[in-house]
Amino acid sequence: MKKPSFETPSLPEYVDTPELQPGATAEVKPYVAAEKHQTPLGFPGELPDDWQDRALTRFEELLERNRGLRVYMDACVRCGACTDKCHYFLGTGDPSNMPVARQNLMRDVYRRYFTPAGRTFPKLVGARDLTRDVLDEWFTYFHQCSQCRRCSVFCPYGIDTAEISMAAREILDAAGYGQKYSNEIIGKVHTIGNNLGLPGPALEDTLEDLEEDLEDETGQPVKLPLDQEGADVLLVTPSADFFAEPHIDGLMGYAKVFHQAGLSWTLSTHASEAANFAMFIGSYENMRKVALRIREAAVKLGVKRIVVGECGHAWRVAYSFWNTLAGIGHGAEPDDEYARILQDQLDPNYPVPQHIVELTNDLVDRGVVKLDPDANADMRLTFHDSCNVARASRMGSAPGGQFQLPRRLLRASLPRDNFHDMAAETIGDRTFCCGGGGGLLTDELMEIRVKGAMPRMQALREAMDQHGTTHMAAICAICKTQFSKVLPYYDMPPDMIVSLHQVVGNAIRMDASDV
Protein backbone atom coordinates (compact mmCIF):
# COMPACT_ATOMS: atom_id res chain seq x y z
CA MET A 1 0.00 0.00 0.00
CA LYS A 2 1.32 3.44 -0.92
CA LYS A 3 2.32 5.49 2.12
CA PRO A 4 -0.48 7.97 2.81
CA SER A 5 0.07 11.72 3.00
CA PHE A 6 -1.92 11.83 6.23
CA GLU A 7 -1.77 10.11 9.60
CA THR A 8 -4.18 7.23 10.23
CA PRO A 9 -5.92 7.66 13.59
CA SER A 10 -4.91 5.23 16.31
CA LEU A 11 -7.69 2.98 17.55
CA PRO A 12 -8.65 3.98 21.10
CA GLU A 13 -10.03 1.67 23.76
CA TYR A 14 -13.35 3.45 23.26
CA VAL A 15 -14.41 6.30 20.98
CA ASP A 16 -14.67 9.65 22.77
CA THR A 17 -15.16 13.28 21.75
CA PRO A 18 -11.90 14.31 20.04
CA GLU A 19 -9.78 17.35 20.73
CA LEU A 20 -10.89 20.14 18.40
CA GLN A 21 -8.75 20.74 15.32
CA PRO A 22 -10.34 23.65 13.42
CA GLY A 23 -9.80 23.44 9.68
CA ALA A 24 -8.20 19.99 9.89
CA THR A 25 -9.94 18.83 6.71
CA ALA A 26 -10.59 22.20 5.07
CA GLU A 27 -8.41 21.22 2.10
CA VAL A 28 -9.93 17.76 1.62
CA LYS A 29 -12.39 18.10 -1.22
CA PRO A 30 -13.51 16.20 -4.33
CA TYR A 31 -12.72 17.13 -7.90
CA VAL A 32 -15.09 19.63 -9.48
CA ALA A 33 -17.27 18.29 -12.29
CA ALA A 34 -16.39 19.40 -15.79
CA GLU A 35 -18.93 20.59 -18.33
CA LYS A 36 -19.18 17.08 -19.83
CA HIS A 37 -20.31 15.76 -16.45
CA GLN A 38 -22.71 18.61 -15.69
CA THR A 39 -24.69 19.36 -18.83
CA PRO A 40 -26.02 15.80 -19.45
CA LEU A 41 -27.65 16.03 -16.01
CA GLY A 42 -29.25 19.39 -16.77
CA PHE A 43 -26.79 21.56 -14.82
CA PRO A 44 -24.59 24.50 -15.95
CA GLY A 45 -21.15 23.39 -17.15
CA GLU A 46 -19.36 25.84 -14.87
CA LEU A 47 -20.11 28.74 -12.52
CA PRO A 48 -21.88 31.37 -14.66
CA ASP A 49 -21.87 35.07 -13.86
CA ASP A 50 -25.32 34.78 -12.27
CA TRP A 51 -24.42 31.73 -10.14
CA GLN A 52 -25.68 33.34 -6.93
CA ASP A 53 -29.14 34.02 -8.42
CA ARG A 54 -29.31 30.45 -9.71
CA ALA A 55 -28.30 29.03 -6.34
CA LEU A 56 -30.80 31.11 -4.39
CA THR A 57 -33.57 30.36 -6.87
CA ARG A 58 -32.93 26.65 -6.44
CA PHE A 59 -32.79 27.07 -2.67
CA GLU A 60 -36.20 28.73 -2.73
CA GLU A 61 -37.63 25.99 -4.95
CA LEU A 62 -36.38 23.33 -2.53
CA LEU A 63 -37.94 25.11 0.43
CA GLU A 64 -41.27 25.12 -1.41
CA ARG A 65 -41.01 21.49 -2.57
CA ASN A 66 -39.66 20.03 0.65
CA ARG A 67 -41.46 21.39 3.69
CA GLY A 68 -39.17 19.31 5.90
CA LEU A 69 -36.16 21.31 4.74
CA ARG A 70 -37.65 24.55 6.04
CA VAL A 71 -38.44 22.84 9.36
CA TYR A 72 -34.83 21.64 9.60
CA MET A 73 -33.61 25.18 8.94
CA ASP A 74 -35.82 26.63 11.69
CA ALA A 75 -35.93 23.92 14.36
CA CYS A 76 -32.35 23.58 15.61
CA VAL A 77 -31.77 24.89 19.18
CA ARG A 78 -28.05 23.97 19.22
CA CYS A 79 -28.52 21.54 22.08
CA GLY A 80 -25.38 19.61 21.12
CA ALA A 81 -26.98 16.15 21.06
CA CYS A 82 -25.58 15.51 17.57
CA THR A 83 -22.10 16.92 18.20
CA ASP A 84 -20.18 13.70 18.79
CA LYS A 85 -22.32 11.42 16.61
CA CYS A 86 -20.63 12.04 13.26
CA HIS A 87 -17.86 9.59 12.38
CA TYR A 88 -16.05 12.27 10.40
CA PHE A 89 -15.92 14.60 13.39
CA LEU A 90 -14.82 11.72 15.64
CA GLY A 91 -12.08 10.80 13.18
CA THR A 92 -10.82 14.30 12.31
CA GLY A 93 -11.64 16.62 15.20
CA ASP A 94 -12.61 19.29 12.66
CA PRO A 95 -15.53 21.17 14.29
CA SER A 96 -16.99 21.91 10.85
CA ASN A 97 -17.79 18.20 10.70
CA MET A 98 -20.07 18.42 13.70
CA PRO A 99 -23.58 17.86 12.26
CA VAL A 100 -24.89 21.15 13.66
CA ALA A 101 -21.94 23.04 12.16
CA ARG A 102 -22.51 21.41 8.79
CA GLN A 103 -26.20 22.32 8.96
CA ASN A 104 -25.34 25.90 9.90
CA LEU A 105 -23.44 26.37 6.65
CA MET A 106 -26.83 26.27 4.95
CA ARG A 107 -28.85 27.64 7.84
CA ASP A 108 -26.88 30.91 7.97
CA VAL A 109 -27.56 31.53 4.27
CA TYR A 110 -31.21 30.57 4.77
CA ARG A 111 -31.55 33.19 7.50
CA ARG A 112 -30.01 35.85 5.28
CA TYR A 113 -32.34 35.42 2.31
CA PHE A 114 -35.45 33.65 3.55
CA THR A 115 -36.26 35.12 6.99
CA PRO A 116 -37.43 38.65 7.80
CA ALA A 117 -34.87 39.07 10.59
CA GLY A 118 -32.00 37.96 8.37
CA ARG A 119 -33.00 40.27 5.53
CA THR A 120 -33.25 43.23 7.94
CA PHE A 121 -30.63 42.58 10.64
CA PRO A 122 -28.33 39.88 9.21
CA LYS A 123 -25.46 40.28 11.70
CA LEU A 124 -27.82 40.19 14.65
CA VAL A 125 -29.09 36.70 13.76
CA GLY A 126 -25.85 35.25 12.42
CA ALA A 127 -26.93 35.41 8.77
CA ARG A 128 -24.32 35.20 6.00
CA ASP A 129 -24.30 36.34 2.41
CA LEU A 130 -23.86 33.60 -0.19
CA THR A 131 -20.40 34.61 -1.38
CA ARG A 132 -17.92 32.56 -3.38
CA ASP A 133 -16.01 31.80 -0.17
CA VAL A 134 -19.19 30.46 1.42
CA LEU A 135 -19.93 28.41 -1.69
CA ASP A 136 -16.43 26.92 -1.51
CA GLU A 137 -17.01 26.02 2.12
CA TRP A 138 -20.27 24.29 1.15
CA PHE A 139 -18.46 22.31 -1.55
CA THR A 140 -15.84 21.13 0.94
CA TYR A 141 -17.91 20.20 3.97
CA PHE A 142 -21.09 18.98 2.29
CA HIS A 143 -18.80 16.50 0.54
CA GLN A 144 -17.51 15.37 3.92
CA CYS A 145 -20.97 14.07 4.82
CA SER A 146 -21.87 10.50 3.86
CA GLN A 147 -25.58 11.20 4.45
CA CYS A 148 -25.63 8.30 6.92
CA ARG A 149 -28.31 9.90 9.18
CA ARG A 150 -26.70 8.69 12.41
CA CYS A 151 -26.88 12.19 13.88
CA SER A 152 -30.61 12.29 13.15
CA VAL A 153 -31.19 9.28 15.44
CA PHE A 154 -29.94 11.33 18.37
CA CYS A 155 -31.50 14.70 17.44
CA PRO A 156 -34.49 15.43 19.71
CA TYR A 157 -36.12 17.32 16.82
CA GLY A 158 -35.38 14.74 14.15
CA ILE A 159 -33.34 17.12 11.99
CA ASP A 160 -32.06 15.11 9.04
CA THR A 161 -28.56 16.24 8.09
CA ALA A 162 -28.62 13.89 5.10
CA GLU A 163 -31.56 15.79 3.58
CA ILE A 164 -29.75 19.08 4.21
CA SER A 165 -26.60 17.71 2.57
CA MET A 166 -28.56 16.48 -0.46
CA ALA A 167 -30.23 19.88 -0.80
CA ALA A 168 -26.90 21.70 -0.55
CA ARG A 169 -25.39 19.54 -3.29
CA GLU A 170 -28.41 20.13 -5.50
CA ILE A 171 -27.97 23.87 -5.03
CA LEU A 172 -24.26 23.57 -5.85
CA ASP A 173 -25.10 21.66 -9.04
CA ALA A 174 -27.70 24.25 -10.01
CA ALA A 175 -25.00 26.91 -9.66
CA GLY A 176 -22.61 24.94 -11.89
CA TYR A 177 -20.41 23.65 -9.05
CA GLY A 178 -20.93 19.87 -9.06
CA GLN A 179 -18.83 16.95 -7.90
CA LYS A 180 -17.06 15.00 -10.65
CA TYR A 181 -17.29 11.53 -9.08
CA SER A 182 -21.05 11.32 -8.58
CA ASN A 183 -22.08 13.26 -11.67
CA GLU A 184 -19.82 11.26 -13.98
CA ILE A 185 -21.31 8.02 -12.63
CA ILE A 186 -24.90 9.23 -13.07
CA GLY A 187 -24.10 10.12 -16.69
CA LYS A 188 -22.80 6.58 -17.31
CA VAL A 189 -26.05 5.09 -16.03
CA HIS A 190 -28.09 7.39 -18.29
CA THR A 191 -26.13 6.40 -21.40
CA ILE A 192 -25.00 2.81 -20.76
CA GLY A 193 -27.03 1.48 -17.85
CA ASN A 194 -24.55 1.07 -15.01
CA ASN A 195 -22.01 2.93 -12.88
CA LEU A 196 -19.04 1.15 -14.40
CA GLY A 197 -19.90 2.05 -17.98
CA LEU A 198 -19.91 -1.70 -18.73
CA PRO A 199 -21.58 -2.29 -22.13
CA GLY A 200 -23.90 -5.22 -22.77
CA PRO A 201 -21.42 -7.49 -24.61
CA ALA A 202 -18.83 -7.07 -21.84
CA LEU A 203 -21.46 -7.88 -19.22
CA GLU A 204 -22.48 -10.97 -21.15
CA ASP A 205 -18.86 -12.15 -21.33
CA THR A 206 -18.41 -11.57 -17.60
CA LEU A 207 -21.48 -13.61 -16.72
CA GLU A 208 -20.41 -16.46 -19.01
CA ASP A 209 -17.02 -16.60 -17.26
CA LEU A 210 -18.74 -16.69 -13.86
CA GLU A 211 -21.01 -19.51 -15.01
CA GLU A 212 -17.91 -21.55 -15.84
CA ASP A 213 -16.49 -20.81 -12.38
CA LEU A 214 -19.76 -21.85 -10.74
CA GLU A 215 -19.89 -25.12 -12.64
CA ASP A 216 -16.28 -25.87 -11.75
CA GLU A 217 -17.07 -25.20 -8.09
CA THR A 218 -20.43 -26.94 -7.77
CA GLY A 219 -20.48 -29.48 -10.57
CA GLN A 220 -23.87 -28.11 -11.60
CA PRO A 221 -24.92 -25.78 -14.44
CA VAL A 222 -25.66 -22.72 -12.29
CA LYS A 223 -26.73 -19.94 -14.68
CA LEU A 224 -26.56 -16.16 -14.63
CA PRO A 225 -29.30 -15.36 -17.19
CA LEU A 226 -29.27 -12.06 -19.04
CA ASP A 227 -32.24 -10.42 -20.77
CA GLN A 228 -34.44 -13.53 -20.50
CA GLU A 229 -37.97 -12.47 -21.51
CA GLY A 230 -40.69 -14.22 -19.53
CA ALA A 231 -38.50 -14.81 -16.46
CA ASP A 232 -40.35 -14.54 -13.15
CA VAL A 233 -37.74 -12.47 -11.30
CA LEU A 234 -35.72 -9.44 -12.42
CA LEU A 235 -32.63 -9.08 -10.24
CA VAL A 236 -31.33 -5.51 -10.13
CA THR A 237 -27.97 -5.47 -8.43
CA PRO A 238 -25.07 -3.01 -8.10
CA SER A 239 -22.65 -3.20 -11.01
CA ALA A 240 -19.83 -3.76 -8.51
CA ASP A 241 -21.19 -7.33 -8.37
CA PHE A 242 -19.93 -7.81 -11.94
CA PHE A 243 -16.49 -6.42 -11.31
CA ALA A 244 -14.49 -7.29 -8.19
CA GLU A 245 -14.31 -9.29 -4.99
CA PRO A 246 -16.01 -9.59 -2.59
CA HIS A 247 -18.93 -8.37 -4.71
CA ILE A 248 -18.64 -11.12 -7.35
CA ASP A 249 -18.74 -13.77 -4.63
CA GLY A 250 -22.07 -12.31 -3.52
CA LEU A 251 -23.43 -12.44 -7.08
CA MET A 252 -22.42 -16.09 -7.32
CA GLY A 253 -24.22 -16.64 -4.04
CA TYR A 254 -27.42 -15.14 -5.50
CA ALA A 255 -27.11 -17.47 -8.48
CA LYS A 256 -26.81 -20.49 -6.19
CA VAL A 257 -29.94 -19.42 -4.30
CA PHE A 258 -31.97 -19.06 -7.51
CA HIS A 259 -30.61 -22.31 -8.91
CA GLN A 260 -31.30 -24.35 -5.81
CA ALA A 261 -34.79 -22.88 -5.45
CA GLY A 262 -35.57 -23.55 -9.12
CA LEU A 263 -36.59 -19.92 -9.67
CA SER A 264 -36.81 -18.41 -13.14
CA TRP A 265 -34.81 -15.16 -13.06
CA THR A 266 -32.80 -12.75 -15.14
CA LEU A 267 -30.48 -9.79 -15.11
CA SER A 268 -30.90 -6.92 -17.58
CA THR A 269 -28.41 -5.04 -19.72
CA HIS A 270 -30.74 -2.02 -19.81
CA ALA A 271 -31.04 -1.93 -16.02
CA SER A 272 -27.68 -3.36 -14.99
CA GLU A 273 -27.38 -1.02 -12.01
CA ALA A 274 -29.27 -0.95 -8.72
CA ALA A 275 -27.32 2.04 -7.40
CA ASN A 276 -28.76 5.52 -7.86
CA PHE A 277 -26.12 8.15 -7.17
CA ALA A 278 -28.62 10.88 -8.03
CA MET A 279 -29.89 10.51 -4.45
CA PHE A 280 -26.50 11.70 -3.20
CA ILE A 281 -26.84 14.97 -5.12
CA GLY A 282 -30.51 15.42 -4.19
CA SER A 283 -31.69 15.46 -7.81
CA TYR A 284 -35.17 13.92 -8.04
CA GLU A 285 -35.17 14.45 -11.80
CA ASN A 286 -32.06 12.34 -12.25
CA MET A 287 -33.19 9.82 -9.64
CA ARG A 288 -36.37 9.32 -11.64
CA LYS A 289 -34.48 8.92 -14.91
CA VAL A 290 -32.35 6.13 -13.39
CA ALA A 291 -35.39 4.45 -11.80
CA LEU A 292 -37.27 4.51 -15.10
CA ARG A 293 -34.61 2.28 -16.67
CA ILE A 294 -35.56 -0.42 -14.15
CA ARG A 295 -39.25 0.00 -14.92
CA GLU A 296 -38.59 -0.16 -18.66
CA ALA A 297 -36.58 -3.37 -18.27
CA ALA A 298 -39.23 -4.97 -16.05
CA VAL A 299 -42.03 -4.18 -18.52
CA LYS A 300 -40.03 -5.35 -21.55
CA LEU A 301 -38.96 -8.63 -19.93
CA GLY A 302 -42.45 -9.32 -18.54
CA VAL A 303 -41.22 -10.22 -15.05
CA LYS A 304 -43.51 -10.80 -12.06
CA ARG A 305 -41.09 -9.78 -9.30
CA ILE A 306 -38.28 -7.26 -8.87
CA VAL A 307 -35.51 -8.17 -6.43
CA VAL A 308 -32.74 -5.80 -5.33
CA GLY A 309 -29.21 -7.05 -4.63
CA GLU A 310 -26.78 -6.08 -1.89
CA CYS A 311 -26.55 -2.29 -2.12
CA GLY A 312 -27.44 -0.02 0.79
CA HIS A 313 -28.53 3.21 -0.86
CA ALA A 314 -30.06 1.28 -3.79
CA TRP A 315 -32.36 -0.41 -1.29
CA ARG A 316 -33.25 2.96 0.22
CA VAL A 317 -34.14 4.36 -3.19
CA ALA A 318 -36.13 1.24 -4.08
CA TYR A 319 -37.91 1.05 -0.73
CA SER A 320 -38.64 4.76 -0.27
CA PHE A 321 -38.69 6.32 -3.75
CA TRP A 322 -39.43 3.85 -6.55
CA ASN A 323 -43.19 4.12 -6.10
CA THR A 324 -43.32 7.91 -6.45
CA LEU A 325 -40.44 8.18 -8.94
CA ALA A 326 -41.57 5.52 -11.38
CA GLY A 327 -44.74 3.84 -10.11
CA ILE A 328 -42.91 0.60 -9.34
CA GLY A 329 -45.35 -1.15 -7.02
CA HIS A 330 -47.64 1.79 -6.31
CA GLY A 331 -47.74 5.50 -6.97
CA ALA A 332 -47.06 7.47 -10.17
CA GLU A 333 -49.40 9.85 -11.94
CA PRO A 334 -52.90 8.65 -12.94
CA ASP A 335 -52.05 9.05 -16.64
CA ASP A 336 -48.77 7.11 -16.39
CA GLU A 337 -49.66 4.20 -18.66
CA TYR A 338 -46.45 2.25 -18.17
CA ALA A 339 -46.68 2.41 -14.38
CA ARG A 340 -50.15 0.85 -14.62
CA ILE A 341 -48.87 -1.85 -16.99
CA LEU A 342 -46.13 -2.81 -14.55
CA GLN A 343 -48.40 -2.72 -11.53
CA ASP A 344 -50.82 -5.09 -13.26
CA GLN A 345 -47.93 -7.30 -14.36
CA LEU A 346 -46.24 -7.79 -10.97
CA ASP A 347 -47.34 -10.63 -8.67
CA PRO A 348 -49.21 -9.14 -5.67
CA ASN A 349 -48.18 -12.09 -3.49
CA TYR A 350 -44.67 -10.67 -3.16
CA PRO A 351 -43.43 -7.32 -1.85
CA VAL A 352 -42.47 -4.70 -4.41
CA PRO A 353 -39.59 -4.22 -4.26
CA GLN A 354 -38.10 -7.23 -2.50
CA HIS A 355 -34.58 -7.41 -1.11
CA ILE A 356 -32.44 -10.45 -1.92
CA VAL A 357 -32.10 -11.01 1.84
CA GLU A 358 -35.89 -11.23 2.16
CA LEU A 359 -36.10 -13.67 -0.74
CA THR A 360 -33.31 -15.91 0.55
CA ASN A 361 -34.57 -15.84 4.12
CA ASP A 362 -38.02 -16.98 2.97
CA LEU A 363 -36.55 -19.84 0.94
CA VAL A 364 -34.41 -20.99 3.88
CA ASP A 365 -37.35 -20.75 6.30
CA ARG A 366 -39.48 -22.92 4.01
CA GLY A 367 -36.70 -25.46 3.55
CA VAL A 368 -36.46 -24.83 -0.18
CA VAL A 369 -32.80 -23.87 0.22
CA LYS A 370 -30.80 -25.94 2.72
CA LEU A 371 -27.64 -24.72 4.40
CA ASP A 372 -24.62 -26.51 5.84
CA PRO A 373 -23.13 -24.29 8.58
CA ASP A 374 -19.94 -26.34 8.74
CA ALA A 375 -19.04 -25.09 5.26
CA ASN A 376 -18.06 -21.81 6.95
CA ALA A 377 -16.29 -23.34 9.94
CA ASP A 378 -13.18 -21.29 9.14
CA MET A 379 -15.08 -18.00 9.59
CA ARG A 380 -15.76 -16.21 12.85
CA LEU A 381 -18.07 -13.50 11.65
CA THR A 382 -19.61 -10.19 12.60
CA PHE A 383 -22.05 -8.02 10.65
CA HIS A 384 -21.90 -4.36 9.66
CA ASP A 385 -25.31 -2.66 9.50
CA SER A 386 -25.13 -0.40 6.45
CA CYS A 387 -26.53 3.08 7.06
CA ASN A 388 -29.17 3.34 4.36
CA VAL A 389 -30.55 -0.10 5.19
CA ALA A 390 -30.44 0.50 8.95
CA ARG A 391 -31.85 4.03 9.13
CA ALA A 392 -33.83 4.54 5.93
CA SER A 393 -35.67 1.31 5.15
CA ARG A 394 -37.09 -1.94 6.46
CA MET A 395 -37.17 -5.59 5.50
CA GLY A 396 -39.80 -8.19 6.12
CA SER A 397 -43.16 -7.66 7.76
CA ALA A 398 -42.02 -6.62 11.24
CA PRO A 399 -40.19 -3.55 12.57
CA GLY A 400 -36.46 -4.18 12.80
CA GLY A 401 -36.46 -6.74 10.02
CA GLN A 402 -33.53 -4.97 8.36
CA PHE A 403 -31.45 -5.92 11.42
CA GLN A 404 -32.89 -9.36 12.13
CA LEU A 405 -33.11 -10.99 8.69
CA PRO A 406 -29.43 -10.60 7.68
CA ARG A 407 -28.33 -11.97 11.05
CA ARG A 408 -30.72 -14.91 10.80
CA LEU A 409 -29.19 -15.88 7.47
CA LEU A 410 -25.65 -15.52 8.78
CA ARG A 411 -26.36 -17.58 11.90
CA ALA A 412 -27.98 -20.27 9.75
CA SER A 413 -24.85 -20.31 7.55
CA LEU A 414 -22.31 -20.57 10.39
CA PRO A 415 -21.50 -22.97 13.24
CA ARG A 416 -23.33 -21.98 16.42
CA ASP A 417 -20.58 -19.97 18.14
CA ASN A 418 -19.10 -18.38 15.03
CA PHE A 419 -21.24 -15.24 14.90
CA HIS A 420 -20.84 -12.31 17.29
CA ASP A 421 -22.13 -8.78 16.97
CA MET A 422 -19.95 -5.76 17.56
CA ALA A 423 -20.67 -3.50 20.56
CA ALA A 424 -24.39 -2.72 20.93
CA GLU A 425 -23.88 1.04 20.69
CA THR A 426 -22.25 0.63 17.25
CA ILE A 427 -24.87 -1.50 15.46
CA GLY A 428 -28.58 -1.40 14.60
CA ASP A 429 -29.97 2.08 14.09
CA ARG A 430 -26.89 3.47 15.86
CA THR A 431 -24.48 1.81 13.46
CA PHE A 432 -21.37 3.69 12.47
CA CYS A 433 -20.95 4.45 8.77
CA CYS A 434 -18.23 2.75 6.74
CA GLY A 435 -16.94 6.24 5.91
CA GLY A 436 -17.27 5.99 2.13
CA GLY A 437 -20.96 6.49 1.42
CA GLY A 438 -22.89 9.44 0.05
CA GLY A 439 -20.69 9.92 -3.02
CA LEU A 440 -17.38 9.99 -1.13
CA LEU A 441 -15.95 6.74 -2.52
CA THR A 442 -13.28 8.47 -4.58
CA ASP A 443 -9.50 8.51 -4.19
CA GLU A 444 -9.08 12.24 -3.64
CA LEU A 445 -11.18 11.90 -0.48
CA MET A 446 -9.14 9.00 0.94
CA GLU A 447 -8.08 10.99 4.00
CA ILE A 448 -11.64 11.69 5.12
CA ARG A 449 -12.65 8.12 4.22
CA VAL A 450 -9.91 6.58 6.37
CA LYS A 451 -10.44 8.91 9.30
CA GLY A 452 -14.23 8.57 9.06
CA ALA A 453 -13.89 4.78 9.25
CA MET A 454 -12.13 4.97 12.62
CA PRO A 455 -15.22 4.38 14.84
CA ARG A 456 -16.20 1.27 12.88
CA MET A 457 -12.61 0.02 12.87
CA GLN A 458 -12.46 0.45 16.65
CA ALA A 459 -15.60 -1.66 17.12
CA LEU A 460 -14.28 -4.30 14.70
CA ARG A 461 -10.92 -4.46 16.48
CA GLU A 462 -12.75 -4.93 19.78
CA ALA A 463 -14.74 -7.83 18.28
CA MET A 464 -11.50 -9.36 16.99
CA ASP A 465 -9.92 -9.14 20.44
CA GLN A 466 -12.97 -10.41 22.34
CA HIS A 467 -14.38 -13.03 19.96
CA GLY A 468 -11.59 -13.89 17.56
CA THR A 469 -13.57 -12.37 14.68
CA THR A 470 -11.97 -13.11 11.32
CA HIS A 471 -14.52 -11.64 8.88
CA MET A 472 -17.15 -8.92 8.66
CA ALA A 473 -20.14 -9.30 6.33
CA ALA A 474 -22.09 -6.45 4.75
CA ILE A 475 -24.99 -6.01 2.32
CA CYS A 476 -23.82 -2.78 0.70
CA ALA A 477 -21.56 -2.43 -2.33
CA ILE A 478 -20.12 0.88 -1.14
CA CYS A 479 -19.39 -0.52 2.33
CA LYS A 480 -17.62 -3.54 0.88
CA THR A 481 -15.51 -1.40 -1.46
CA GLN A 482 -14.71 1.10 1.28
CA PHE A 483 -13.68 -1.52 3.83
CA SER A 484 -11.48 -3.38 1.35
CA LYS A 485 -9.58 -0.09 0.91
CA VAL A 486 -9.41 1.19 4.50
CA LEU A 487 -8.88 -2.03 6.47
CA PRO A 488 -5.13 -2.12 5.63
CA TYR A 489 -4.72 1.41 7.00
CA TYR A 490 -5.70 -0.07 10.38
CA ASP A 491 -3.48 -3.15 9.96
CA MET A 492 -6.35 -5.47 9.10
CA PRO A 493 -6.47 -7.67 5.98
CA PRO A 494 -8.63 -6.34 3.12
CA ASP A 495 -10.30 -9.72 2.57
CA MET A 496 -11.88 -9.54 6.03
CA ILE A 497 -14.91 -7.93 4.38
CA VAL A 498 -17.28 -10.37 2.68
CA SER A 499 -20.69 -10.31 1.03
CA LEU A 500 -23.54 -11.80 3.03
CA HIS A 501 -24.50 -13.96 0.06
CA GLN A 502 -20.90 -15.11 -0.22
CA VAL A 503 -21.33 -16.66 3.23
CA VAL A 504 -24.78 -18.03 2.33
CA GLY A 505 -23.48 -19.30 -1.00
CA ASN A 506 -20.66 -21.20 0.72
CA ALA A 507 -23.22 -22.95 2.92
CA ILE A 508 -25.83 -23.88 0.29
CA ARG A 509 -26.07 -27.64 -0.12
CA MET A 510 -25.76 -28.21 -3.83
CA ASP A 511 -25.74 -32.01 -3.80
CA ALA A 512 -28.24 -33.59 -6.17
CA SER A 513 -30.30 -35.20 -3.44
CA ASP A 514 -31.40 -31.79 -2.23
CA VAL A 515 -32.33 -30.34 -5.62
Side-chain angles (χ1 to χ4, degrees):
M1 183 179 70
K2 182 181 177 182
K3 186 176 180 180
S5 59
F6 55 87
E7 186 175 345
T8 301
S10 59
L11 295 181
E13 183 178 352
Y14 58 90
V15 177
D16 201 358
T17 304
E19 183 176 329
L20 294 184
Q21 299 184 50
T25 55
E27 300 305 317
V28 181
K29 59 191 70 178
Y31 296 138
V32 178
E35 182 177 4
K36 65 181 179 180
H37 308 129
Q38 287 282 101
T39 52
L41 308 190
F43 304 130
E46 59 183 10
L47 278 174
D49 292 339
D50 63 344
W51 67 263
Q52 186 188 68
D53 290 339
R54 290 173 182 251
L56 292 174
T57 297
R58 192 60 176 151
F59 200 161
E60 185 173 21
E61 290 170 353
L62 292 176
L63 290 169
E64 292 297 321
R65 186 182 76 186
N66 185 351
R67 289 177 293 177
L69 181 61
R70 189 180 292 273
V71 172
Y72 300 150
M73 292 292 98
D74 290 330
C76 180
V77 296
R78 302 194 182 194
C79 67
C82 68
T83 299
D84 59 350
K85 305 306 185 295
C86 177
H87 48 289
Y88 295 121
F89 172 60
L90 293 172
T92 68
D94 190 330
S96 293
N97 275 320
M98 295 179 184
V100 63
R102 199 184 319 277
Q103 295 166 18
N104 282 342
L105 292 174
M106 178 179 280
R107 190 172 284 121
D108 293 348
V109 174
Y110 164 77
R111 288 196 182 107
R112 176 66 182 88
Y113 296 98
F114 302 105
T115 68
R119 286 191 289 262
T120 309
F121 308 107
K123 292 184 179 180
L124 190 65
V125 295
R128 299 171 75 192
D129 289 331
L130 183 59
T131 63
R132 177 59 193 267
D133 286 344
V134 171
L135 200 71
D136 288 342
E137 198 173 3
W138 278 33
F139 188 78
T140 297
Y141 286 105
F142 281 117
H143 287 107
Q144 292 183 23
C145 172
S146 60
Q147 302 170 353
C148 80
R149 308 178 88 210
R150 187 172 193 265
C151 54
S152 305
V153 172
F154 296 90
C155 176
Y157 294 94
I159 296 172
D160 192 336
T161 307
E163 291 290 336
I164 293 172
S165 174
M166 292 172 194
R169 294 187 194 177
E170 186 170 7
I171 292 167
L172 286 164
D173 271 316
Y177 201 179
Q179 182 220 35
K180 175 182 183 290
Y181 174 67
S182 292
N183 290 7
E184 183 177 22
I185 282 174
I186 297 165
K188 288 178 182 177
V189 179
H190 289 341
T191 56
I192 299 174
N194 57 69
N195 290 1
L196 297 176
L198 189 69
L203 176 57
E204 186 175 2
D205 289 344
T206 298
L207 297 179
E208 287 176 356
D209 289 344
L210 292 178
E211 287 178 347
E212 292 179 6
D213 292 343
L214 282 163
E215 186 159 6
D216 289 343
E217 176 193 341
T218 67
Q220 297 190 30
V222 180
K223 298 299 181 183
L224 289 155
L226 184 64
D227 296 330
Q228 295 293 310
E229 293 189 15
D232 287 338
V233 178
L234 170 62
L235 175 68
V236 186
T237 200
S239 56
D241 285 354
F242 310 130
F243 179 64
E245 293 182 344
H247 314 274
I248 281 179
D249 299 309
L251 175 63
M252 294 167 77
Y254 310 155
K256 292 178 184 178
V257 169
F258 287 120
H259 175 84
Q260 203 64 4
L263 291 175
S264 167
W265 70 289
T266 189
L267 295 157
S268 164
T269 51
H270 185 69
S272 49
E273 184 61 71
N276 195 327
F277 273 42
M279 186 184 78
F280 298 151
I281 65 170
S283 174
Y284 281 76
E285 294 78 14
N286 282 291
M287 281 176 69
R288 183 172 190 272
K289 193 173 178 180
V290 173
L292 284 175
R293 293 186 72 97
I294 296 167
R295 185 177 83 177
E296 290 159 4
V299 170
K300 179 181 179 181
L301 296 171
V303 298
K304 297 181 177 65
R305 300 163 65 180
I306 303 176
V307 174
V308 180
E310 294 185 9
C311 181
H313 82 274
W315 180 238
R316 180 185 179 186
V317 172
Y319 184 88
S320 300
F321 296 104
W322 270 6
N323 56 349
T324 53
L325 287 172
I328 299 176
H330 301 284
E333 298 298 324
D335 59 350
D336 190 335
E337 177 185 355
Y338 287 96
R340 304 292 166 242
I341 291 172
L342 182 59
Q343 289 166 15
D344 291 340
Q345 176 182 309
L346 295 176
D347 188 336
N349 294 309
Y350 298 96
V352 182
Q354 185 176 35
H355 197 281
I356 187 67
V357 166
E358 295 176 298
L359 179 143
T360 303
N361 189 79
D362 175 64
L363 294 171
V364 171
D365 278 355
R366 292 192 286 116
V368 177
V369 170
K370 297 180 174 64
L371 303 175
D372 175 14
D374 290 336
N376 289 308
D378 60 330
M379 286 186 172
R380 297 187 67 83
L381 204 76
T382 193
F383 180 67
H384 168 72
D385 290 294
S386 300
C387 302
N388 279 296
V389 176
R391 290 187 281 262
S393 69
R394 280 172 53 171
M395 288 183 195
S397 57
Q402 71 271 34
F403 310 123
Q404 297 158 8
L405 297 188
R407 287 171 170 81
R408 284 174 61 183
L409 281 177
L410 289 172
R411 288 191 173 99
S413 302
L414 292 160
R416 173 177 290 184
D417 295 325
N418 283 31
F419 180 85
H420 295 276
D421 264 318
M422 289 176 278
E425 66 272 14
T426 73
I427 62 173
D429 64 357
R430 293 175 289 175
T431 186
F432 277 114
C433 179
C434 68
L440 275 61
L441 198 70
T442 178
D443 287 349
E444 67 268 25
L445 295 179
M446 187 57 75
E447 178 177 351
I448 196 73
R449 288 170 54 190
V450 170
K451 292 179 178 179
M454 184 274 289
R456 173 48 77 220
M457 295 295 98
Q458 186 276 336
L460 177 58
R461 173 61 69 185
E462 185 177 78
M464 294 167 68
D465 293 342
Q466 293 182 358
H467 306 296
T469 297
T470 61
H471 293 84
M472 177 170 62
I475 55 172
C476 173
I478 286 176
C479 292
K480 287 178 271 190
T481 302
Q482 162 74 349
F483 286 132
S484 67
K485 290 288 188 182
V486 303
L487 280 164
Y489 284 87
Y490 292 93
D491 299 320
M492 303 179 201
D495 57 0
M496 278 192 72
I497 182 65
V498 295
S499 298
L500 182 147
H501 272 80
Q502 174 182 347
V503 182
V504 173
N506 291 345
I508 289 179
R509 294 172 58 180
M510 301 290 290
D511 51 294
S513 62
D514 289 320
V515 175

